[in-house]
Amino acid sequence: MDLLSLRNQIDAIDNQLLRLLNERMDVVKKVGELKKHEKSVIYRPEREKSIIDRLTHISQDDKGTLNNSAIEAIFLEIFAVSRNLELPEKVAFLGPDGSYTHQAAENRFGAMSEYIPLKTIKSVFDNVETERVRFGVVPIENNQEGTVAETIDQLCYRDVKIVAELPMSISFSLASNHDDLTKIKKIYSKDIAFRQCRNFLEDYFGDDIRLIQVSSTSRAAEMASKEEGAAAICSHIAAKLFQLPIRYNNIEDSQDNTTRFLIIAKNFVNQQSNNDKTSILAKIGNQPGDLANFLEEFRQRDINLTKIESRPAKMKDNFNYWFVIDFDGHYNDPKTQEIIRSYSDTITFLGSYVKMV
């Protein structure tokens, strides 16, 4: 077959895809009308996850080319378009535009949602709690740098719920208007990006380069886009935002740099799936054995604890601590409810959501 024949085949398949997608969206509109009438929630992460899992199994059984990651990338965008046809969403995130949190938000909510960059994690929680936006996206932990304490603290004191978790590999790119590296005399980025890309910088530039620290990788891309002889170490979305060509991808020293983000909302409870995680705040007493006795309740019921994070209770002059606890299972599981009933004055529910890590 010649190239023209193959392209004609692709065009014919694309035509079929478009017809099927339009057909899908017609059904989506009907679903949206039904949900509005019943006042039910539009975003259902557990439903989306089950669809992706089902399609992955079909592709594997058919020995298809698309793997789970490819299917997820395609269908998350389809889901996002579908949700916006049902009900356009406003999504706040820890800015600025082009940040990795922005990239995480767009990964889950697609290109059609309305995104609002905010300067602080507290501001994101403010906007979600007052329902100025429907969803917020904030970082919760990085496997290289640890937990984001401000997010943990805000969860402890705010009337919001965790809707979903989103692990994302943090990958840095070198972006510049120059394709000839010898013309690059300075590179903009954050200090953490310079640290995590040290080997690349030494291999490609040595000591003959100025490394200029700025407030964000997004700001780095913006500055490099306007200056001669400049480059930026930034995210894909920042380079796209400022139309700065990417010259090298994946320039970080470690390929195991992952940040976990949380999607938060007010008055939101996920339905049970077969693979849930729950987060709670436990205001446990300060007497000997209080914490051990509480944790023993989980062991006796064979509930797997995946994380315990202590935070200051901030009660007058006392050095007391509360605990943010993650465990496998849903809040409404019978075994979990047994513990909830016994510790109803101690536990604050933070959210049950599909387990992604």
Side-chain angles (χ1 to χ4, degrees), residues 191-203:
D191 54 348
I192 188 173
F194 288 134
R195 290 200 307 270
Q196 295 187 3
C197 301
R198 186 177 292 114
N199 291 341
F200 172 85
L201 292 170
E202 290 178 355
D203 290 343

Side-chain angles (χ1 to χ4, degrees), residues 42-43 83-84 87-91 109 113-114 134-135:
I42 300 294
Y43 183 37
R83 286 197 304 271
N84 275 277
L87 180 67
E89 302 287 12
K90 288 185 178 180
V91 183
F109 290 100
S113 294
E114 180 181 349
R134 184 69 180 100
F135 297 105

Side-chain angles (χ1 to χ4, degrees), residues 189-256:
S189 199
K190 287 193 70 173
D191 54 348
I192 188 173
F194 288 134
R195 290 200 307 270
Q196 295 187 3
C197 301
R198 186 177 292 114
N199 291 341
F200 172 85
L201 292 170
E202 290 178 355
D203 290 343
Y204 282 78
F205 296 98
D207 297 327
D208 190 27
I209 193 74
R210 288 177 59 203
L211 303 180
I212 304 174
Q213 294 184 20
V214 292
S215 59
S216 69
T217 55
S218 179
R219 175 65 174 157
E222 181 182 16
M223 295 179 72
S225 69
K226 298 175 180 177
E227 296 184 23
E228 284 293 320
I233 293 177
C234 61
S235 65
H236 281 233
I237 195 170
K240 181 178 73 172
L241 182 66
F242 295 103
Q243 299 180 338
L244 193 64
I246 293 176
R247 303 304 176 184
Y248 291 93
N249 284 308
N250 306 318
I251 65 172
E252 62 276 5
D253 297 345
S254 172
Q255 302 299 311
D256 298 322

Side-chain angles (χ1 to χ4, degrees), residues 260-287:
R260 185 165 72 102
F261 298 89
L262 295 181
I263 299 172
I264 57 173
K266 189 171 183 178
N267 302 321
F268 194 106
V269 178
N270 282 310
Q271 296 176 359
Q272 290 167 278
S273 74
N274 60 0
N275 185 34
D276 295 311
K277 177 191 288 187
T278 295
S279 296
I280 60 171
L281 173 65
K283 299 178 180 179
I284 299 169
N286 201 28
Q287 299 302 311

Side-chain angles (χ1 to χ4, degrees), residues 25 29 42-43 49 67 70 78-79 83 86 93 140 167 169-170 183 213 218 220 228 236 311 322 335:
M25 297 308 163
K29 289 180 181 179
I42 300 294
Y43 183 37
K49 180 68 164 53
N67 60 17
I78 292 174
F79 297 153
R83 286 197 304 271
E86 294 180 55
F93 65 91
I140 181 68
S169 177
I170 301 300
K183 294 182 179 180
Q213 294 184 20
S218 179
E228 284 293 320
H236 281 233
R311 299 304 302 160
W322 294 343
K335 291 189 296 184

Side-chain angles (χ1 to χ4, degrees), residues 44-50 53 162-165 260 268-280 298 302-307 325-336 349 351-357:
R44 283 296 182 192
E46 77 284 354
R47 164 69 175 156
E48 294 181 0
K49 180 68 164 53
S50 69
D53 289 344
I162 301 171
V163 173
E165 64 177 359
R260 185 165 72 102
F268 194 106
V269 178
N270 282 310
Q271 296 176 359
Q272 290 167 278
S273 74
N274 60 0
N275 185 34
D276 295 311
K277 177 191 288 187
T278 295
S279 296
I280 60 171
F298 292 85
D302 198 29
I303 298 174
N304 183 43
L305 300 178
T306 59
K307 185 177 181 180
I325 299 174
D326 293 348
F327 58 88
D328 290 341
H330 195 278
Y331 187 76
N332 290 327
D333 290 345
K335 291 189 296 184
T336 303
F349 172 57
S352 288
Y353 43 96
V354 176
K355 185 177 179 180
M356 302 296 289
V357 290

Side-chain angles (χ1 to χ4, degrees), residues 2-55:
D2 58 22
L3 183 58
L4 180 60
S5 297
L6 293 172
R7 284 176 173 169
N8 287 336
Q9 283 189 37
I10 290 174
D11 289 345
I13 294 170
D14 286 344
N15 294 343
Q16 293 179 55
L17 286 173
L18 180 60
R19 282 192 290 270
L20 289 172
L21 286 171
N22 277 321
E23 187 177 330
R24 187 188 199 279
M25 297 308 163
D26 288 340
V27 178
V28 162
K29 289 180 181 179
K30 295 176 183 177
V31 171
E33 291 170 3
L34 188 61
K35 285 184 175 180
K36 286 178 185 178
H37 178 71
E38 297 178 350
K39 296 183 180 180
S40 57
V41 177
I42 300 294
Y43 183 37
R44 283 296 182 192
E46 77 284 354
R47 164 69 175 156
E48 294 181 0
K49 180 68 164 53
S50 69
I51 292 173
I52 290 170
D53 289 344
R54 176 176 60 82
L55 295 176

